[in-house]
Amino acid sequence: MPKSIVPVILCGGAGSRLWPVSRQLLPKQFLPLVTGRTLLQDTALRAREAAGPAQPIVICNEAHRFLVQDQLAEIGISMADARVVLEPAGRNTAAAVAIAALACEQDDPVLLVLASDHAIRGADAFNDAVRRAARVAAAGKLVTFGIAPARPDSGFGYIERGEPLQDEAGAYKVARFVEKPAVAEARRLIATGRAYWNSGMFAFGAKRLLDELGHYRHDILDAARAALAGASDDLGFLRLGKDAFLACPAEAINRAVMERTAHAAVIPAEFE
């Protein structure tokens, strides 16, 4: 039986990239920059269409909790329909993903990890990519979505694909990750025809992610486990244990796990 897919929407962010429109108390994911809805709302609706009825996990800074609640309610997602986890401070994506995986550990679904501030065009292509990634993740791989590079941009990380996976057409082993190369190196990578922009979106089984995180960064996993053990209900929000979470090292999931694991795979995305 196929595993269920649980969307994990990472809704942190300092609001610095589009200042002054986006700012600390109103980061860009809470703004209607592309459609009539906010980026968070578009992400939540996109996730529901791609992943089905599973209750999404939304991880945000505690200062933004009522923004998240109100914006989800505007698109018909109540606090009963989502798990909203409150971080006392940002600790990058590895800690947030660890919390989500621990919260789902018993059921062991495929986690579809999405940034809340992406603008994506091509719903059918996105849904297809999610379905393919979920199959690959259910087979034990840790999947990232690769975006066809439009230019040799040094502001993106890159993924170089390796051999194709035998059991899933259009999926590949990851040969290596290249973190924000110089323009000349980016140009060379693109010329190989095997390179993609790293989208920062992932799919992996909850237990598989926890196994890999425990192998490579047990300190992050231990701190996340302690923060979840010390969590409390706060008006329907799940407030993490503050001291334990603040003790967690700040690390991106890409650096903590994806660049180290032998099980990384890439799905080339056909959406913009």
Side-chain angles (χ1 to χ4, degrees):
M1 182 176 178
K3 290 186 178 184
S4 62
I5 304 174
V6 172
V8 178
I9 300 175
L10 304 180
C11 199
S16 59
R17 294 197 183 192
L18 293 180
W19 186 90
V21 174
S22 172
R23 50 202 183 274
Q24 187 173 7
L25 293 179
L26 193 66
K28 62 183 177 297
Q29 62 266 29
F30 300 116
L31 299 172
L33 299 177
V34 180
T35 68
R37 297 178 296 269
T38 69
L39 294 176
L40 168 61
Q41 290 172 327
D42 281 340
T43 301
L45 291 172
R46 186 184 307 123
R48 185 166 62 184
E49 181 179 348
Q55 188 183 44
I57 300 172
V58 182
I59 302 180
C60 69
N61 187 280
E62 60 186 13
H64 300 143
R65 61 193 184 278
F66 296 121
L67 269 174
V68 169
Q69 181 182 37
D70 291 347
Q71 292 198 1
L72 292 179
E74 287 174 4
I75 57 172
I77 300 176
S78 71
M79 292 293 286
D81 300 324
R83 286 179 281 182
V84 181
V85 180
L86 307 182
E87 295 179 323
R91 284 297 179 266
N92 216 315
T93 55
V97 170
I99 292 290
L102 288 167
C104 298
E105 185 174 11
Q106 184 172 355
D107 296 331
D108 191 25
V110 168
L111 303 180
L112 174 64
V113 179
L114 304 172
S116 60
D117 60 356
H118 281 167
I120 291 177
R121 292 176 180 163
D124 290 343
F126 178 81
N127 296 342
D128 177 68
V130 168
R131 286 190 291 267
R132 289 189 288 130
R135 289 194 296 267
V136 175
K141 297 294 186 182
L142 289 83
V143 183
T144 184
F145 295 79
I147 307 297
R151 59 191 178 278
D153 196 316
S154 61
F156 291 99
Y158 288 73
I159 304 162
E160 186 173 358
R161 76 171 189 238
E163 297 298 315
L165 296 180
Q166 293 183 352
D167 298 329
E168 182 65 40
Y172 300 85
K173 296 178 181 179
V174 170
R176 62 175 178 141
F177 291 89
V178 182
E179 180 61 23
K180 296 182 179 178
V183 171
E185 173 64 5
R187 187 176 291 112
R188 191 198 67 77
L189 282 167
I190 292 171
T192 68
R194 300 190 302 272
Y196 306 94
W197 284 339
N198 189 349
S199 69
M201 299 185 291
F202 306 96
F204 30 63
K207 288 185 177 179
R208 166 61 88 180
L209 184 278
L210 293 173
D211 286 345
E212 295 296 286
L213 194 57
H215 181 67
Y216 294 108
R217 289 303 304 264
H218 65 84
D219 53 343
I220 294 176
L221 179 58
D222 291 347
R225 197 181 297 276
L228 192 60
S232 59
D233 179 82
D234 182 358
L235 300 175
F237 301 99
L238 184 66
R239 183 180 292 275
L240 296 174
K242 184 175 182 178
D243 291 343
F245 194 76
L246 292 179
C248 186
E251 186 79 276
I253 192 65
N254 226 58
R255 190 67 61 87
V257 172
M258 297 301 294
E259 294 179 7
R260 301 178 178 189
T261 181
H263 304 287
V266 58
I267 297 284
E270 296 182 4
F271 53 84
E272 295 181 47

